[in-house]
Amino acid sequence: MMTNWKFNTLAVHSEQSPDEKSGAVSQPIIPAVAYSFEDADAAVAVVSGEIDGRYYGRYGNPTTRTLEKKMATLEGAEDALGVSSGMAAISIALMAHLSSGDHVVVTKDVYGGTHKFLSTIAPRYGMEHDFVDCTSMACVESAIKGNTRAVYIETPSNPSLTLIDIKAVAKITKRHNIALIVDNTFMTPYLQKPLELGADVVVHSATKYLNGHGDVVAGIICGEKKDIDYMRKDVMGDLGQNLNAWESFLILRGIKTLGIRLEKHCRNAQKVAEFLEMHPFVDKVYYPGLESHPQHLLAKQQMKKMGGIVSFEVKGGVQAGKDFISALKIALISFSLGDPETLVQHPASMTHSSIPDDLLAEFGIAKGLIRLSVGLEDVEDIISDLEQALLSVAVTVNK
Ligand SMILES: Cc1ncc(COP(=O)(O)O)c(C=O)c1O
């Protein structure tokens, strides 16, 4: 690997070369659970971590290892760990940093699954949390207590696309000698590099843009080697949250086109956001690429481009929002994001339904908010679809 390779060259070539035996260019899929050793000492050396190698499928796999090394390269991390889902990545990273009696500061409008994990399962094991407005450094600073071990943020957030200044939060966490964990799912390393901005751990739902084709559930954690080793051996492996070879192969394949896919997602999303902002039947549009976004300047500083997710409120409230998504013909109503297809959803009744109404309001998630994952179709077709659905709802509401 050349040290001066740029992102797309690394995405295609790093950690991958033709198979020595067959000459096959694409990554071999090795489903083996068991691995043999020359002698007993070699087995001990691999299990103890003295030599890098696989020994039992629950603790790692060779195809997954290629993916882990590639992700470490792309995020600029010492090492990475492939796991069974984005929620596995998030829960493993949190469990590795918190013991019973420890506390984590968490950004307010966090992904619904992360909110649920922290407010239902984690407290049963003594892990404390506070949901805090992490756009304000004064709020982050004052939320840190004697037993705080980490700050957990997501930027831009799901679904309201609020940004958090990673560099500024990292200054605070470094001063307090606690970990900064960043969910980089919406951006991927192509658009944002949290570790370069001072974060300690990056978590991903690889289910989204990294795989990019809507056919894998997976997660990745990137960070320091000693942290990743601990997460592999003492959390992921013991809890059985490992990723399998076939899914690792699919993500490796997806990553080869990550750059070109994201360029198109971002171009389409910018045009869609500009269209929605001008539309008389739309109340409010949330997209970091719009000058009207309150953190547009921060977005330009810490993100390469503005991403593929656009959120907005349709005039007429919750029912109009639901009627609107039902009237769409290209965009599919779906819980996921980051796929070639344009996907739409209503967070209050779908991805964030586990969050109580009063908290949704406090987190700035309007009940009529709609989240659009802008796909790879021709943008004129996506916009015509939005236009016909907006018109049909406008007619019903004005009757
Ligand atoms: C920002 C973010 N993080 C994490 C997750 C969880 O990922 P997974 O569904 O792969 O567990 C999601 C899922 O939508 C997400 O949007």
Side-chain angles (χ1 to χ4, degrees):
M1 188 175 89
M2 306 282 281
T3 48
N4 59 350
W5 279 352
K6 294 197 173 65
F7 190 93
N8 289 308
T9 315
L10 289 171
V12 174
H13 290 288
S14 70
E15 310 300 338
Q16 281 177 278
S17 48
D19 181 50
E20 274 177 25
K21 260 195 188 163
S22 63
V25 171
S26 82
Q27 180 66 29
I29 301 167
I30 302 173
V33 172
Y35 300 85
S36 73
F37 301 92
E38 296 231 315
D39 53 36
D41 286 342
V44 172
V46 169
V47 174
S48 69
E50 198 185 307
I51 299 174
D52 190 29
R54 308 306 108 211
Y55 52 96
Y56 184 62
R58 213 173 63 233
Y59 294 89
N61 166 282
T63 312
T64 306
R65 188 67 191 137
T66 306
L67 168 66
E68 291 167 346
K69 287 185 168 172
K70 190 181 284 270
M71 274 306 293
T73 302
L74 297 179
E75 280 286 6
E78 263 179 30
D79 207 349
L81 181 64
V83 295
S84 58
S85 69
M87 275 317 299
I90 291 163
S91 55
I92 289 169
L94 286 165
M95 284 190 282
H97 284 87
L98 303 183
S99 299
S100 177
D102 290 343
H103 171 256
V104 56
V105 172
V106 187
T107 184
K108 257 171 148 188
D109 52 348
V110 79
Y111 168 61
T114 312
H115 185 281
K116 188 163 178 244
F117 169 76
L118 283 164
S119 45
T120 59
I121 304 171
R124 290 175 57 196
Y125 299 94
M127 296 176 211
E128 299 170 16
H129 66 274
D130 274 309
F131 293 113
V132 169
D133 176 5
C134 291
T135 61
S136 152
M137 295 313 124
C139 289
V140 175
E141 184 78 60
S142 64
I144 294 173
K145 310 193 278 193
N147 60 342
T148 304
R149 296 287 167 264
V151 173
Y152 179 97
I153 61 173
E154 194 181 299
T155 178
S157 69
N158 180 4
S160 46
L161 299 161
T162 305
L163 265 67
I164 294 165
D165 187 337
I166 301 174
K167 243 187 198 169
V169 178
K171 259 192 197 159
I172 298 176
T173 52
K174 289 211 174 353
R175 194 160 7 91
H176 289 273
N177 201 21
I178 57 176
L180 173 57
I181 306 170
V182 180
D183 183 334
N184 204 25
T185 299
F186 271 31
M187 293 279 95
T188 83
Y190 185 68
L191 298 177
Q192 178 171 271
K193 296 264 187 71
L195 299 176
E196 282 178 6
L197 298 169
D200 303 287
V201 180
V202 168
V203 291
H204 281 283
S205 167
T207 315
K208 316 294 189 236
Y209 293 104
L210 288 175
N211 176 57
H213 293 78
D215 46 17
V216 166
V217 175
I220 311 267
I221 311 166
C222 302
E224 278 183 25
K225 184 171 173 356
K226 70 169 174 28
D227 265 5
I228 296 292
D229 280 350
Y230 177 75
M231 292 184 213
R232 178 189 300 284
K233 286 199 177 149
D234 295 288
V235 191
M236 176 199 80
D238 289 357
L239 293 179
Q241 292 171 306
N242 53 292
L243 181 60
N244 69 43
W246 168 245
E247 298 195 322
S248 300
F249 163 80
L250 288 174
I251 303 166
L252 279 165
R253 187 169 73 164
I255 286 177
K256 290 190 184 191
T257 57
L258 181 64
I260 54 166
R261 281 188 287 110
L262 275 169
E263 286 290 335
K264 172 90 168 152
H265 280 298
C266 293
R267 259 199 321 276
N268 280 1
Q270 182 74 35
K271 289 198 174 135
V272 164
E274 286 167 7
F275 160 78
L276 289 170
E277 195 171 42
M278 299 306 290
H279 201 284
F281 207 63
V282 172
D283 249 345
K284 204 168 171 193
V285 183
Y286 305 78
Y287 185 65
L290 292 176
E291 282 182 18
S292 58
H293 189 287
Q295 295 159 303
H296 181 59
L297 281 181
L298 173 61
K300 289 209 277 193
Q301 281 161 19
Q302 74 180 18
M303 293 149 56
K304 180 175 169 179
K305 295 216 163 127
M306 303 298 156
I309 309 293
V310 179
S311 293
F312 56 100
E313 290 167 40
V314 171
K315 281 190 179 146
V318 180
Q319 194 51 48
K322 283 183 157 175
D323 291 347
F324 165 75
I325 63 171
S326 302
L328 288 163
K329 293 190 165 57
I330 291 180
L332 306 170
I333 300 176
S334 163
F335 281 82
S336 202
L337 60 97
D339 292 352
E341 297 82 9
T342 294
L343 303 176
V344 68
Q345 69 116 350
H346 177 232
S349 64
M350 294 172 68
T351 46
H352 290 63
S353 58
S354 60
I355 303 180
D357 281 3
D358 52 332
L359 281 185
L360 276 182
E362 198 192 316
F363 295 174
I365 302 172
K367 291 211 75 175
L369 189 75
I370 284 163
R371 186 189 77 190
L372 195 68
S373 169
V374 182
L376 300 176
E377 302 95 339
D378 291 304
V379 73
E380 298 79 4
D381 294 331
I382 302 172
I383 289 175
S384 307
D385 190 28
L386 293 169
E387 176 124 60
Q388 65 78 24
L390 282 167
L391 268 179
S392 79
V393 176
V395 168
T396 321
V397 168
N398 291 329
K399 258 185 192 166

